[in-house]
Amino acid sequence: MAQVKNNYQFEDMLQKHNLKKTAPRLRVLSMMYSKNTATSQPDLESVMNDIDRVTLYRILNVFEEKGIIHKVFDLNGTANYAVCHSDCQENHHHDEHLHFNCTACKNVYCLNELNIPKLTLPAGFEPQAFTIYASGLCPKCSKKGTAKTN
Amino acid sequence: MAQVKNNYQFEDMLQKHNLKKTAPRLRVLSMMYSKNTATSQPDLESVMNDIDRVTLYRILNVFEEKGIIHKVFDLNGTANYAVCHSDCQENHHHDEHLHFNCTACKNVYCLNELNIPKLTLPAGFEPQAFTIYASGLCPKCSKKGTAKTN
DNA sequence: ATACAAATGCAACATTATTGTATTTAGAAA
DNA sequence: TTTCTAAATACAATAATGTTGCATTTGTAT
Ligand SMILES: [Mn+2]
Ligand SMILES: [Mn+2]
Ligand SMILES: [Zn+2]
Ligand SMILES: [Zn+2]
């Protein structure tokens, strides 16, 4: 499920990345780590509506640069942010996992466990990174659809 | 390479889909069919800058609905549009191919020939569609990088 | 030729994102 | 603890992308 971390750990994370411990940053970390799905920019903005929009963008950008979170666009092109589980470094991400976008609840899941099969591209193409998107029903929504509601 | 079609064929396409033959639509078709890569919304807008922006959006939307083109977001979340090569029908696309986004020239290639491997998702997930993204260097750009420039 | 639905063009607006700068603050140094 | 400063936030302005409503124009069927 969601990675459980307390406020001290979030403060440590910021310190490790040479980022000042500020309330907005800690709140963003806390929110994103409390969920097992990515969080969309609109959601972040409405939940953190007392934080300035620009500040929020800058927090998300610096977290992404530092390898704390990664950005993924859902099927509608909306930016979603999820915590990095892999060994992501500053400006060097390793988030080549499958992203599952539920067509019902719109949530984006990072399925880190799945390993991506090797693919051979046509001659001349030199791929450096792959990501797979799947869309369909997530566990919660597929349960609702079939049996007695969850 | 790029699918070669003449203006009569574009007119036929529109007629088949019960769309009126208009200059803006024919120009969009002509441009998109003349390329072997997707075209970004900003590019379309600047090339077709004498067509009203809203008209362009509506043309792209109706072409997508009719199964003539499909929309794909590149690594930066920018909307790109490419002609459908598969047997796409009105509101029923079959564009589950790999999209290659060149990090140098930013072009998005639809690699229809590649077949996507079957993937098994964690229990509960019910996938309905997959798309794979690859990023790296396209044939043109990888050639430039290594040998005597193209 | 006429008529009408469809398509375009235009204006207004909404959302998402960026840039510049003044103010505030976390954390280091004194 | 107080002082200092670079970093972070807040605010204002602007850009880019996308949508909605409506008046006008146009393709096409009759
Ligand atoms: Mn992810
Ligand atoms: Mn494609
Ligand atoms: Zn769901
Ligand atoms: Zn290229």
Side-chain angles (χ1 to χ4, degrees):
Chain A
M1 283 276 134
Q3 264 183 267
V4 180
K5 278 199 160 60
N6 63 34
N7 211 260
Y8 292 111
Q9 294 174 289
F10 295 140
E11 293 187 358
D12 284 348
M13 289 183 58
L14 293 178
Q15 195 160 43
K16 253 174 229 152
H17 290 97
N18 297 308
L19 297 172
K20 288 187 180 174
K21 301 166 197 166
T22 66
R25 286 174 174 168
L26 289 168
R27 284 178 56 199
V28 170
L29 282 180
S30 169
M31 166 164 186
M32 296 189 62
Y33 270 89
S34 72
K35 304 173 58 183
N36 58 351
T37 60
T39 311
S40 71
Q41 183 278 327
D43 279 2
L44 275 164
E45 191 171 318
S46 67
V47 171
M48 310 276 171
N49 61 354
D50 51 331
I51 300 177
D52 186 81
R53 280 171 37 76
V54 178
T55 300
L56 187 51
Y57 277 109
R58 292 206 252 237
I59 288 173
L60 294 171
N61 285 339
V62 74
F63 282 3
E64 196 186 11
E65 281 170 18
K66 296 290 188 176
I68 299 173
I69 64 176
H70 60 281
K71 194 202 296 208
V72 44
F73 296 99
D74 68 17
L75 296 173
N76 302 312
T78 302
N80 282 247
Y81 296 89
V83 299
C84 293
H85 288 72
S86 7
D87 55 335
C88 294
Q89 309 296 325
E90 176 142 6
N91 286 312
H92 197 191
H93 282 260
H94 305 276
D95 299 294
E96 305 198 358
H97 47 258
L98 186 144
H99 288 120
F100 189 94
N101 200 168
C102 180
T103 51
C105 67
K106 313 297 177 197
N107 276 329
V108 174
Y109 296 77
C110 296
L111 301 184
N112 293 275
E113 49 274 14
L114 248 78
N115 56 342
I116 293 190
K118 269 288 155 215
L119 286 171
T120 318
L121 296 200
F125 287 96
E126 293 183 2
Q128 284 152 4
F130 290 93
T131 51
I132 304 191
Y133 283 80
S135 60
L137 293 177
C138 78
K140 281 182 193 165
C141 294
S142 65
K143 203 185 288 176
K144 275 179 201 156
T146 55
K148 50 242 162 199
T149 28
N150 190 16
Chain B
M1 283 280 133
Q3 264 185 267
V4 181
K5 277 197 161 60
N6 63 35
N7 211 258
Y8 291 110
Q9 294 176 289
F10 295 140
E11 292 186 359
D12 283 349
M13 289 183 58
L14 292 178
Q15 195 161 43
K16 251 174 230 153
H17 289 97
N18 297 308
L19 297 173
K20 288 187 180 173
K21 302 166 197 165
T22 66
R25 284 174 176 169
L26 289 169
R27 284 178 56 199
V28 170
L29 282 181
S30 169
M31 167 162 184
M32 295 189 65
Y33 270 91
S34 72
K35 303 173 60 183
N36 58 350
T37 60
T39 311
S40 71
Q41 182 279 328
D43 279 1
L44 276 164
E45 192 171 317
S46 67
V47 171
M48 310 275 174
N49 60 356
D50 50 333
I51 300 177
D52 187 80
R53 279 169 35 76
V54 178
T55 300
L56 188 51
Y57 277 108
R58 294 204 255 236
I59 288 174
L60 294 171
N61 286 338
V62 75
F63 282 3
E64 196 185 11
E65 281 170 16
K66 296 291 188 177
I68 299 173
I69 65 174
H70 60 281
K71 194 202 295 210
V72 44
F73 296 100
D74 68 16
L75 296 172
N76 302 313
T78 301
N80 283 245
Y81 296 89
V83 300
C84 292
H85 288 71
S86 8
D87 54 334
C88 294
Q89 309 294 326
E90 176 143 6
N91 286 312
H92 195 191
H93 281 262
H94 305 277
D95 300 294
E96 304 198 355
H97 46 256
L98 186 144
H99 287 120
F100 189 94
N101 200 167
C102 179
T103 51
C105 66
K106 313 298 179 199
N107 276 329
V108 174
Y109 297 76
C110 296
L111 301 185
N112 293 275
E113 48 274 12
L114 248 79
N115 55 344
I116 294 190
K118 270 288 155 218
L119 287 171
T120 318
L121 296 200
F125 287 96
E126 293 183 1
Q128 284 152 2
F130 289 93
T131 50
I132 303 190
Y133 282 81
S135 60
L137 293 177
C138 78
K140 281 182 194 167
C141 294
S142 65
K143 204 186 288 177
K144 276 181 202 153
T146 54
K148 48 242 162 197
T149 26
N150 192 13

